[in-house]
Amino acid sequence: MKYISTRGQAPELGFNDVLLTGLARDGGLYVPLDLPQFSADDIRAFRGMCYQDVALRVMTPFVCPDISEDDLAEIITKAYSTFRHTAIVPLSQSDSNRWILELFHGPTLAFKDVALQLLGHLFDHILTKQGRKVTIVGATSGDTGSAAIECVKDRACAEIFMLHPKGRVSDVQRRQMTTVLSPNVHNLAVDGNFDDCQAMVKALFNDLAFRDEITLSAVNSINWARVMAQIVYYFTSAVALGAPDRAVSYSVPTGNFGDIYAGYMAQKMGLPIRQLIVATNRNDILTRVLTSGDYTVGNVSPTISPSMDIQVSSNFERLLHNLYDGQGDNVRRLMDDLTRSGSFTIDGPELNKAKQIFDAIQVSEGDTEATIKAVFEQTGQLIDPHTAVGVKAAELKNTEPATPMISLSTAHPAKFPDAVEKVTGQHPALPAHMADLFERPEKYDLLDHDLDALKSYIRGNL
Ligand SMILES: *Cc1c(COP(=O)(O)O)cnc(C)c1O
């Protein structure tokens, strides 16, 4: 598989280089040149297969010829051995024809483990072969950080620097990062919000000299391999509910647009998906752009679903690539507008195309809380606030009750215990492997919202 940049001015790369590079050198994101296609018979053959076997079939075309099928099989087995459920991502039923896909059974209790556990082993495989080492720098609104740290801690192939907005991630989220004391892990609490952190990381990537100096690499959701790993669970869950002979719909709590974009990829690869619902909290830039075409960056407003408290949604650029039929010039023009004026507009055929692919809706804080409460009262199940945003959006936007509606559950309720306890009276317990999280010592440094300070911190710690 060959990959091209959404902005059309970076070299075409194979899978290994795309994995290690993260952001393309022209500032764009890598996307596959053409998508593998799965026929109805191919998809039917997934019935009864375990998650790992479907993963192998779905991902092999994306990694070949750089990684052999045998090597990939081994990587997949290792990656998902850390999950606490043998189904890896089990489905539970929440109402007549409503389902919840539990993506939080990995080590850090959020869906990001599904991709990042795999990425850790992919990095190890490639870098060990090449005898190289990389520096990973990332920004987190809470969940990426711990999942990324968990995937590279104690590995000889990587040094990781993770920026989080000081005071804006939950205690559980912070401790999941800062209690990892491995010498190759560096946590930084930045004076600013998540978008500030993300902008600093982007700026590092755009500083090509520094980028080469430290062999910079990314594991945030701009990395194509994360999207690739997330495509798998759309296939497994749809097949479990009757695909390809029955279509299914998805509601996806969305921030950086990586998870829902993976759903769109699955659809383009042949999976019969009826609705793809983009569910946002009151930071609704995605709902706005997908309904009116207006992508104007506003101020981040903190909510009880903090992993979606963002205004700049990195993977949206990949959708622009699809909407403009791969014309890099158009994507570049819009992204330049965004840098210059904090805004761009899509209209005409592109906006209509986007509306045909996605439904989008914003869910209020009150509705999020009411949904946590209602699901608990109706089923006894505790869901986290991000999941609740998706469940509510599914309820509001579902146009076809006969089609199974799957809400992606992106975090374990114990990751956001206060919000859950407030409305249900139940304190969600941390799983056994994390029960002593609040007794473990923490290690992190404070950093100003300043690019030079970040650079010298990294230089000083390599
Ligand atoms: C990251 C995250 C999201 C948003 O996913 P995107 O791929 O960035 O859209 C939603 N819920 C939780 C719990 C997350 O950690």
Side-chain angles (χ1 to χ4, degrees), residues 19-23 119 123 135-137 201 205 216-220 222-223:
L19 175 83
L20 298 178
T21 302
L23 197 68
L119 250 69
F123 267 87
T135 305
I136 293 169
V137 183
V201 173
F205 272 88
L216 185 60
S217 202
V219 295
N220 55 349
I222 55 171
N223 195 308

Side-chain angles (χ1 to χ4, degrees), residues 15 18-19 59 80 111-120 122-123 138-140 143-145 147-148 151 162 218-233 256 258-259 261-262 315 318:
F15 178 79
V18 165
L19 175 83
M59 295 194 290
Y80 296 115
F111 87 98
K112 293 185 169 81
D113 287 325
V114 178
L116 283 164
Q117 285 293 300
L118 187 86
L119 250 69
L122 286 169
F123 267 87
T140 183
D143 296 328
T144 298
C151 93
M162 187 54 63
V219 295
N220 55 349
S221 65
I222 55 171
N223 195 308
W224 168 259
R226 280 185 57 178
V227 176
M228 171 187 81
Q230 291 168 4
I231 295 170
V232 175
Y233 50 70
N256 251 329
D259 206 2
Y261 188 76
N315 276 288
R318 289 198 160 102

Side-chain angles (χ1 to χ4, degrees), residues 109-112 141-144 173 221 226 230 252-261 286 305 307-308 310 313 315 384 386-387 409-412 415-416:
L109 316 184
F111 87 98
K112 293 185 169 81
S141 55
D143 296 328
T144 298
Q173 287 178 318
S221 65
R226 280 185 57 178
Q230 291 168 4
V252 184
T254 298
N256 251 329
F257 209 73
D259 206 2
I260 186 95
Y261 188 76
L286 288 168
S305 48
S307 303
M308 311 196 303
I310 67 176
S313 191
N315 276 288
D384 99 289
H386 303 79
T387 305
S409 180
T410 50
H412 190 291
K415 223 168 170 172
F416 303 94

Side-chain angles (χ1 to χ4, degrees), residues 34-39 42-43 61 235 265 267-271:
D34 43 28
L35 277 177
Q37 294 298 310
F38 290 80
S39 69
D42 295 334
I43 296 170
F235 276 90
M265 291 292 99
Q267 186 185 49
K268 280 175 78 80
M269 289 161 69
L271 192 65

Side-chain angles (χ1 to χ4, degrees), residues 219-407:
V219 295
N220 55 349
S221 65
I222 55 171
N223 195 308
W224 168 259
R226 280 185 57 178
V227 176
M228 171 187 81
Q230 291 168 4
I231 295 170
V232 175
Y233 50 70
Y234 286 91
F235 276 90
T236 58
S237 56
V239 167
L241 295 180
D245 300 301
R246 179 161 79 151
V248 299
S249 292
Y250 291 91
S251 178
V252 184
T254 298
N256 251 329
F257 209 73
D259 206 2
I260 186 95
Y261 188 76
Y264 172 49
M265 291 292 99
Q267 186 185 49
K268 280 175 78 80
M269 289 161 69
L271 192 65
I273 296 178
R274 187 73 31 89
Q275 275 186 283
L276 280 170
I277 300 171
V278 176
T280 63
N281 64 26
R282 71 172 167 235
N283 296 288
D284 67 338
I285 187 164
L286 288 168
T287 300
R288 256 186 293 126
V289 68
L290 290 168
T291 50
S292 73
D294 167 37
Y295 189 101
T296 299
V297 177
N299 290 321
V300 176
S301 165
T303 71
I304 55 170
S305 48
S307 303
M308 311 196 303
D309 289 349
I310 67 176
Q311 286 287 335
V312 180
S313 191
S314 315
N315 276 288
F316 198 74
E317 181 168 345
R318 289 198 160 102
L319 179 66
L320 293 177
H321 167 82
N322 297 107
L323 298 179
Y324 287 91
D325 294 322
Q327 295 161 7
D329 291 351
N330 279 312
V331 177
R332 218 166 46 242
R333 175 174 56 79
L334 295 181
M335 299 318 288
D336 286 346
D337 286 351
L338 183 65
T339 309
R340 230 187 357 257
S341 65
S343 159
F344 66 74
T345 310
I346 50 173
D347 48 23
E350 287 78 27
L351 179 58
N352 285 337
K353 205 162 151 186
K355 284 181 174 173
Q356 271 164 22
I357 306 166
F358 299 102
D359 290 293
I361 190 159
Q362 180 205 154
V363 174
S364 70
E365 294 285 275
D367 277 352
T368 305
E369 290 187 337
T371 303
I372 296 172
K373 188 160 192 269
V375 169
F376 177 64
E377 282 168 0
Q378 286 156 19
T379 69
Q381 191 178 1
L382 295 176
I383 58 170
D384 99 289
H386 303 79
T387 305
V389 168
V391 168
K392 183 66 188 180
E395 193 184 307
L396 296 171
K397 277 286 175 186
N398 188 0
T399 50
E400 287 182 52
T403 303
M405 173 61 75
I406 303 173
S407 294

